[in-house]
Amino acid sequence: MPSNALPPGPKGTLLAGNLREFVAHGLDFYAGLAREYGDLASFRFGPFRRVFLANHPDLIEQVLVTDAKHYVKHFGVRNYMPVLGNGLVTSDGDFWLRQRRLSQPAFLKHRVASYAPVMAELTRAMLDRWRPGMAVHVHTEFGQLTSAIALKTLFGLDDPGDRAAFVEWLRTAFQLLTGRFRKLVNLPLWVPTPDNVRIRRAVRHLHRVVDGFIAAGRARKEPGDDLLSRLVAARDDDGSRMTEAQIRDEAMSLYLAGHQTTALTLTWSWYLLATHPDAERRLVEEWARVLGGRPPTTDDLAHLPYTDAVLAEAMRLYPPAYLTGREATKDLELGGYRVRKGYTVFMSQWVTHRDPRYFGPDPDAFRPERWLDGLAKRLPKYAYFPFGGGPRVCIGNTFASMEGAILLATVGQRYRFTVDPGEVGTNPQITLLPSNGIPATLQER
Ligand code: HEM
């Protein structure tokens, strides 16, 4: 019988619970809970929202895999629904399953492999624009590149129109929505507070842009073989089609999930490489040996183990998705405790990926070599889970891994980055951003 007591955790205040510590300490809040309370901790957001933090791979597996059907996405994800809508990332139940089935074919291995030439071509276009000595923000450059790749591969579109404005609206919307997550009381979005008005304005602009993607897709004479064309053409068993709003939600979710995360993996990789010259040297040697100066193809990827190891190690230390959560739909057991219906269970890649039990003795060190001797096979399955797991595992993981390796090797054979001196911190929003975008100078190799 599970215990009716709560797992150990910080006391918190009557009204706010532990919200204040969370706002003050960000990622360290979760890391501190794990350090102090162990494999399963409990805390409260506000007066009623009970949250568990699961810090052991077996507990994580139980939530994401074994008991997956009794959990849904959590309140933090729902918080972003004004932007993401009811798409693959945010939806649940039968609705989610239908959308997942519909989208899955676009992510099969051979289909993903067919996107490689587009990735290489758009990367070359970026490199042709770059000049030695140019000052860049690493995050901005890779955000633009992965955005162009997502638009082309998922929607068959060349980067349309005013991307800068779109990015700005997106930043505003996410920042304001993340802000809501940190407050004790939030008025519904229809109440015209200054922040709510800004959120709604940003969402209107974003929707208009995505509607433009869809209209451009529809206007093509030949329906494309891309995901958007599939969604537009898809019919349910009863012959019904997806509504415009559904297509827009799906397009928005895939576009956002599909480029921000990969841009971050590359951004953090370049930051780590710029600050670890030995690892960078080894990487360049691998490229010289295997590629000899030519751009990589999908056939090369199996022969670039150190490239893979660098990406794996960057996602270990700076996981783009740093927190995954679920809400129980009925009373359940976890680690000997009772998870009541409506409770949230968080699992943090940021915390588990730096756990000395699995990555010791120096878990904060950037050492890609640790992945070269079969570590992935030796680890408990959910000690490392940058792409989540179970039925809701990232649908784009093959896409992301291929894109990461192709972009790293294509860029890295021509340029390296000298990161400007100064503190580089983390800015945990919906994904794990670098606090300053990583300003750097381009050096030709
Ligand atoms: C390094 C890059 C990426 C990382 C770290 C990442 C991480 C994740 C994680 C952790 C989840 C599970 C969230 C949860 O369980 O609550 C997820 C789901 C998802 N990802 Fe990714 N992702 C990446 C790239 C991509 C790409 C390239 C695409 C699409 C092209 C994509 C599309 C999605 C979608 C649609 C979901 C929701 C799947 C579902 O619930 O059925 N992701 N991702």
Side-chain angles (χ1 to χ4, degrees), residues 64 73-74 77 87-91 96 100 107 150 153-154 250 253-265 315 319-326 349 385-389 391-401 403:
L64 291 182
K73 291 278 174 130
H74 65 110
V77 174
L88 204 50
V89 176
T90 44
S91 59
W96 161 77
R100 175 106 189 182
F107 292 97
T153 53
L154 299 176
E250 219 47 78
S253 302
L254 282 166
Y255 170 68
L256 288 180
H259 85 280
Q260 302 258 28
T261 42
T262 317
L264 285 167
T265 304
M315 285 195 292
Y322 62 93
L323 189 74
T324 300
R326 294 289 187 270
Q349 286 88 345
F385 61 118
F387 295 108
R392 307 223 40 174
V393 69
C394 176
I395 202 171
N397 55 4
T398 313
F399 185 115
S401 303
E403 185 176 16

Side-chain angles (χ1 to χ4, degrees), residues 313-340:
E313 185 71 343
M315 285 195 292
R316 182 180 75 79
L317 288 174
Y318 294 100
Y322 62 93
L323 189 74
T324 300
R326 294 289 187 270
E327 191 172 291
T329 56
K330 63 174 208 171
D331 284 6
L332 294 163
E333 181 276 336
L334 187 65
Y337 292 91
R338 192 183 300 281
V339 184
R340 292 198 182 280

Side-chain angles (χ1 to χ4, degrees), residues 96-258:
W96 161 77
L97 190 59
R98 172 174 174 266
Q99 303 297 99
R100 175 106 189 182
R101 274 206 220 104
L102 218 55
S103 308
Q104 197 80 51
F107 292 97
L108 293 174
K109 225 178 178 150
H110 69 277
R111 176 65 61 84
V112 169
S114 75
Y115 299 145
V118 173
M119 293 176 181
E121 185 191 312
L122 290 170
T123 308
R124 266 197 306 278
M126 177 182 81
L127 295 176
D128 289 344
R129 190 169 46 75
W130 281 4
R131 295 284 171 269
M134 205 166 117
V136 293
H137 277 90
V138 181
H139 186 211
T140 311
E141 295 298 315
F142 284 97
Q144 279 175 10
L145 177 58
T146 57
S147 160
I149 290 171
L151 287 173
K152 186 75 185 169
T153 53
L154 299 176
F155 307 132
L157 293 177
D158 295 309
D159 207 346
D162 197 351
R163 190 184 175 279
F166 184 74
V167 169
E168 195 46 38
W169 287 118
L170 208 55
R171 207 183 53 79
T172 306
F174 276 137
Q175 212 162 36
L176 290 166
L177 289 169
T178 301
R180 281 170 74 80
F181 189 42
R182 293 173 179 171
K183 280 190 207 135
L184 191 53
V185 181
N186 281 303
L187 294 172
L189 281 182
W190 55 263
V191 180
T193 61
D195 274 359
N196 283 355
V197 169
R198 287 172 67 207
I199 291 173
R200 280 169 38 198
R201 192 183 315 137
V203 168
R204 253 197 327 274
H205 279 269
L206 293 170
H207 282 176
R208 201 173 306 146
V209 176
V210 176
D211 286 345
F213 297 169
I214 296 170
R218 283 194 199 283
R220 277 200 305 259
K221 283 200 193 81
E222 295 285 312
D225 199 21
D226 55 88
L227 182 63
L228 181 72
S229 303
R230 279 170 181 277
L231 294 180
V232 169
R235 282 173 188 274
D236 214 347
D237 294 343
D238 63 3
S240 63
R241 285 172 185 270
M242 287 167 76
T243 63
E244 287 291 306
Q246 267 170 290
I247 293 172
R248 184 175 65 204
D249 288 354
E250 219 47 78
M252 191 75 178
S253 302
L254 282 166
Y255 170 68
L256 288 180

